[in-house]
Amino acid sequence: MLEWIAIITMLVDHIGYEFFPSDLTWRTIGRVAFPVYTFLLVRGLTLTRSRSTYFKRLVIIAVIAQIPFTLLFETYSLNVIFTLLYGASAVVLYEKVIRFWGIIILTTLGIIMMPISDFTDYGLYGYSLFLLYYFLKEKPFALLIGHLFLDVLYSLNYFDSWHSIQSFSIIATFIIIFKKHLPVVKIHRLFYRSFYPLHLLILYLLSLMIHR
């Protein structure tokens, strides 16, 4: 069910961005999508039998999605899959070294992410949220506090109406914490993996038709 929630809220978010930019209701609902996707990727990274295959799959999705992402959002920044890959790579490096050096690596990668945040979707926020879900996934109260604190810092850094709605992303963490109470609704693997680049392409084509 989490996968369906991620897909639907992301679709609502991007429809709002492209076709109803003055109505923040769509974007507010869409704040749920990224944290859920982040949690699912952290979970996948933890449970996968082959991390090399997992990374290859994500790289393929990221590369395929980049062209429709650039066209739809009219930006040259990297799409969100690249941000998640950055976080996943940091975690893998962290696991391979003594914990002290692992913390140094995570901190260094966070500092590196700061100046390039404007060129990656969700940037430092996305990287930080990935680490929160990785380290606190078994500690729900600490996870809520950490996510809330991250959202407050993010909102304080941007004083416009769009960025202020990011605080609604905390809803995603509540959903994740109580995920055991959600109904089980299966989703086809190919559909789930292809949805991100596919829906970007469809929305871009629809936008061309409507604007034309």
Side-chain angles (χ1 to χ4, degrees):
M1 190 60 188
L2 281 178
E3 292 170 339
W4 279 110
I5 291 173
I7 281 177
I8 293 170
T9 53
M10 178 176 66
L11 180 60
V12 168
D13 184 39
H14 292 165
I15 289 175
Y17 174 90
E18 185 62 26
F19 302 110
F20 308 100
S22 61
D23 185 357
L24 286 181
T25 304
W26 298 77
R27 309 306 310 281
T28 301
I29 294 172
R31 297 310 90 215
V32 172
F34 178 71
V36 175
Y37 267 116
T38 303
F39 171 80
L40 290 171
L41 196 145
V42 169
R43 184 173 181 272
L45 184 68
T46 304
L47 299 179
T48 185
R49 296 177 183 177
S50 173
R51 282 189 169 178
S52 60
T53 301
Y54 194 71
F55 270 90
K56 289 176 184 176
R57 186 184 301 129
L58 287 173
V59 169
I60 291 171
I61 295 172
V63 171
I64 293 174
Q66 187 58 41
I67 293 178
F69 176 84
T70 299
L71 293 172
L72 180 64
F73 297 113
E74 299 179 339
T75 178
Y76 291 105
S77 65
L78 296 175
N79 67 67
V80 72
I81 307 297
F82 285 106
T83 305
L84 294 173
L85 275 167
Y86 189 87
S89 301
V91 164
V92 170
L93 289 174
Y94 170 82
E95 292 177 345
K96 291 183 179 297
V97 298
I98 300 174
R99 288 296 177 261
F100 170 77
W101 290 109
I103 294 172
I104 296 297
I105 288 173
L106 294 180
T107 303
T108 302
L109 290 174
I111 293 172
I112 293 173
M113 174 59 84
M114 291 176 66
I116 62 174
S117 278
D118 290 339
F119 304 100
T120 54
D121 199 18
Y122 277 100
L124 183 60
Y125 175 91
Y127 174 74
S128 302
L129 189 63
F130 192 98
L131 296 184
L132 276 178
Y133 279 133
Y134 175 76
F135 286 106
L136 302 178
K137 56 182 177 291
E138 303 299 334
K139 301 175 181 179
F141 181 73
L143 181 59
L144 274 174
I145 298 300
H147 190 169
L148 181 61
F149 180 71
L150 181 62
D151 281 352
V152 169
L153 286 179
Y154 185 80
S155 297
L156 289 176
N157 195 43
Y158 300 94
F159 294 98
D160 56 83
S161 57
W162 187 90
H163 290 92
S164 65
I165 66 172
Q166 189 61 36
S167 58
F168 286 93
S169 70
I170 195 71
I171 296 171
T173 294
F174 277 102
I175 294 173
I176 290 165
I177 289 173
F178 295 103
K179 63 185 181 296
K180 292 182 179 180
H181 301 285
L182 295 173
V184 177
V185 185
K186 293 184 178 181
I187 185 171
H188 195 281
R189 291 294 88 196
L190 181 59
F191 174 76
Y192 177 70
R193 292 166 184 167
S194 63
F195 186 83
Y196 181 65
L198 188 60
H199 94 283
L200 292 175
L201 178 60
I202 292 173
L203 288 179
Y204 173 68
L205 294 176
L206 285 174
S207 177
L208 284 182
M209 293 170 61
I210 292 172
H211 292 157
R212 185 176 299 170

